[in-house]
Amino acid sequence: MSTEPLIRVVGLKKYFGDLKALDGIDLEIHKGEVTVIVGPSGSGKSTFLRSLNLLERPTEGEIYFEGVNILSPSANINLHRQKMGMVFQHFNLFPHMTILRNMTLAPVQLHKLTKQQAEEKALELLERVGLKDRANAYPSQLSGGQKQRIAIVRALCMNPDVMLFDEPTSALDPEMVGEVLDVMQNLAREGMTMIVVTHEMGFAREVSDRVIFMDEGRIVEEGSPAEFFSNPKNPRAKDFLSKVL
Amino acid sequence: MERLFQAIREWFINLAGKFQTDFIVDNRWRFLTNGLAVTLEVAFFAVILGIVIGFIVAIIRAGYDRSRDSAPVRRKKGRKRSGPVNLRALFSVAAWRRLGRGLFSFANWLCKVYLTVIRGTPVVLQLLIIYFVIFGSTNISKVFVAIVAFGINSGAYVAEIVRSGIMSIDQGQMEAGRSLGLNYIQTMWHIIIPQAFKNVLPALGNEFIVLLKETSVSGYIALEDLTKGGDIIRGRTFDAFLPLFAVAIIYLAIVMLLSYGVSRLERRLRSSEH
């Protein structure tokens, strides 16, 4: 593609002491693309995802987001994070606030929306995920699947340009996985740029535009889901797929 | 048996007389009420000062401890440079960041010294030093000195309580706040502190009860607080029993009232969540 990618990662490395979590990652993410990152545990998928919005500070390398190197000392990371929504494995809703406040806190505090605008937007988003009637509930009153759907719309309330998902269904009971994947699938259909770390191979196969396989802190295979699932080239990827499929 | 009964009767009659001389004559009860007012005033303002100091110190300490494990970016040598103007801007921001980090680590060191010194020396000594050394050459209100001394002392304990509360909040909460674009202070204020506060409320309530009782050493700088008031009556009437027990009962009543208030507040905070 000729257009400037939304995210461009160059030679990204991250060490935890002597441990190499990321060992030189190069990647481009284009607008509207749904990228799924898979790989065995400890392969660095989560670390990589968390590096993109600097929840982990990379040891070396460059990350360009919308053309700006966010690792440069003059970059204001708080501004960039406003445009990168993130969904966590353990939801991380704020337990002392109602659902509505969970969603409106950031846009109101950061003056992106007035309180009234934010509430309207939150209710609209809640309607879309079928949880409008829970707007005034507290997180502890919700099921895991409901919590994760809230976490997704909380991030959407900031109107992000890209959504990062860090194993969004791994902490859920099996019967609740579907409702969360549905929301993500709708989001993908609407054209949201998404980067998803997951073990849900069905989601990767059906929804993603591209699958990335990571092992030992490197991208060892990359391709369309059809290619990746039917004809993996890397032996580690073959081995991995034979175990999870 | 008869004689024992007689003795008890006499003791009570005696007591009634002593009550008269201890509290009624010369309006001596005023030593207790005025003293109580001073004690409450000192405790109240010292608690506020302690909370302010404690929270600031706790936020600096917790922030420093947590920021240490995220190492700064290692830069490549021979990086492409885009021009002198840009470079200068880049340098100045980087320089400010470095200065900020330096100040942060200095503040953390200062907090550590404060905690060590305050928790490592007796509160009476701190009170004496603040009164006779730090404010020694000035004619300053004793109530003010007591507030400062007990506030600074309490702040150290509050800081450790609050810090443990902050550290007990799941790291994911901070990450969620930061990932939405909130800065460190905003995340602390809206997300971490409210949860931490609720967790440490019983410990904080305890600390304030301890503080209230600790103000009883104010007599060392001749401040006429509740304890000193009772002691003055003892000195005037040569009766120790009634004045000192009266003082004890007043402290006990206040502490019980405070404990009740804290436990009610705790219940209310808990019910607001679930």
Side-chain angles (χ1 to χ4, degrees), chain A residues 19-70:
Chain A
L19 182 80
K20 272 188 193 174
L22 297 179
D23 191 16
I25 303 258
D26 299 283
L27 187 68
E28 290 188 357
I29 304 280
H30 290 272
K31 205 162 166 36
E33 228 179 353
V34 177
T35 307
V36 167
I37 305 176
V38 297
S41 60
S43 59
K45 344 181 260 304
S46 282
T47 307
F48 173 61
L49 194 74
R50 290 160 55 79
S51 297
L52 292 178
N53 67 353
L54 302 197
L55 285 184
E56 303 288 353
R57 193 104 198 157
T59 318
E60 223 178 281
E62 282 151 38
I63 300 171
Y64 294 90
F65 177 59
E66 298 180 336
V68 181
N69 182 2
I70 58 173

Side-chain angles (χ1 to χ4, degrees), chain B:
Chain B
M1 197 62 204
E2 184 74 1
R3 283 181 54 186
L4 180 69
F5 184 71
Q6 186 70 20
I8 291 171
R9 214 178 91 97
E10 262 171 33
W11 188 79
F12 269 105
I13 291 171
N14 207 352
L15 200 64
K18 277 182 176 166
F19 186 87
Q20 183 79 15
T21 51
D22 282 340
F23 302 127
I24 310 298
V25 174
D26 290 346
N27 279 340
R28 283 184 187 136
W29 55 272
R30 281 178 169 277
F31 284 113
L32 295 186
T33 52
N34 292 346
L36 177 62
V38 169
T39 291
L40 290 179
E41 188 185 352
V42 170
F44 179 76
F45 288 106
V47 157
I48 290 175
L49 184 60
I51 289 180
V52 172
I53 296 175
F55 269 83
I56 292 172
V57 171
I59 288 171
I60 292 174
R61 295 271 297 116
Y64 185 80
D65 284 356
R66 285 236 159 120
S67 73
R68 242 186 334 189
D69 35 57
S70 58
V73 192
R74 202 188 295 161
R75 316 220 120 263
K76 275 188 209 151
K77 281 175 199 158
R79 253 164 33 95
K80 222 172 27 182
R81 290 174 177 175
S82 42
V85 181
N86 244 345
L87 182 70
R88 205 179 304 141
L90 192 83
F91 180 76
S92 80
V93 173
W96 280 112
R97 291 268 158 94
R98 256 201 311 279
L99 184 68
R101 259 202 297 278
L103 278 177
F104 196 28
S105 100
F106 177 70
N108 179 58
W109 176 82
L110 215 59
C111 289
K112 270 183 157 166
V113 171
Y114 162 72
L115 292 174
T116 309
V117 170
I118 295 299
R119 296 195 303 165
T121 55
V123 62
V124 180
L125 202 62
Q126 292 162 15
L127 181 68
L128 290 173
I129 288 172
I130 289 176
Y131 185 61
F132 289 110
V133 180
I134 295 173
F135 291 119
S137 55
T138 54
N139 185 15
I140 200 157
S141 142
K142 285 173 185 160
V143 171
F144 176 77
V145 170
I147 289 170
V148 169
F150 291 114
I152 289 175
N153 179 270
S154 176
Y157 294 94
V158 171
E160 286 302 90
I161 291 169
V162 173
R163 187 171 75 98
S164 76
I166 290 173
M167 300 300 261
S168 77
I169 302 300
D170 181 49
Q171 182 78 60
Q173 293 286 310
M174 175 57 86
E175 287 180 355
R178 299 303 303 274
S179 79
L180 287 164
L182 299 169
N183 65 29
Y184 179 78
I185 303 283
Q186 287 168 324
T187 310
M188 263 299 177
W189 182 250
H190 293 285
I191 297 164
I192 308 295
I193 299 281
Q195 297 182 63
F197 183 72
K198 189 155 49 176
N199 286 357
V200 300
L201 198 64
L204 275 184
N206 232 347
E207 165 57 26
F208 301 150
I209 287 168
V210 169
L211 173 65
L212 179 92
K213 291 181 291 177
E214 258 176 6
T215 60
S216 63
V217 298
S218 301
Y220 271 88
I221 58 168
L223 175 63
E224 292 182 13
D225 72 324
L226 180 56
T227 306
K228 186 73 177 173
D231 203 44
I232 290 173
I233 298 176
R234 183 189 60 80
R236 299 249 167 113
T237 63
F238 302 109
D239 175 38
F241 179 79
L242 270 184
L244 297 189
F245 268 75
V247 167
I249 286 167
I250 295 173
Y251 275 112
L252 189 63
I254 300 172
V255 168
M256 285 168 70
L257 205 69
L258 278 177
S259 305
Y260 174 72
V262 169
S263 72
R264 268 197 54 163
L265 187 62
E266 220 181 301
R267 260 203 308 279
R268 240 188 54 195
L269 283 174
R270 225 194 334 254
S271 68
S272 78
E273 174 178 324
H274 295 293

Side-chain angles (χ1 to χ4, degrees), chain A residues 16 26 80 105 110 137 176 185 223 236:
Chain A
F16 292 107
D26 299 283
H80 296 297
L105 176 73
L110 298 168
M176 290 170 181
Q185 190 161 6
R236 281 291 290 138

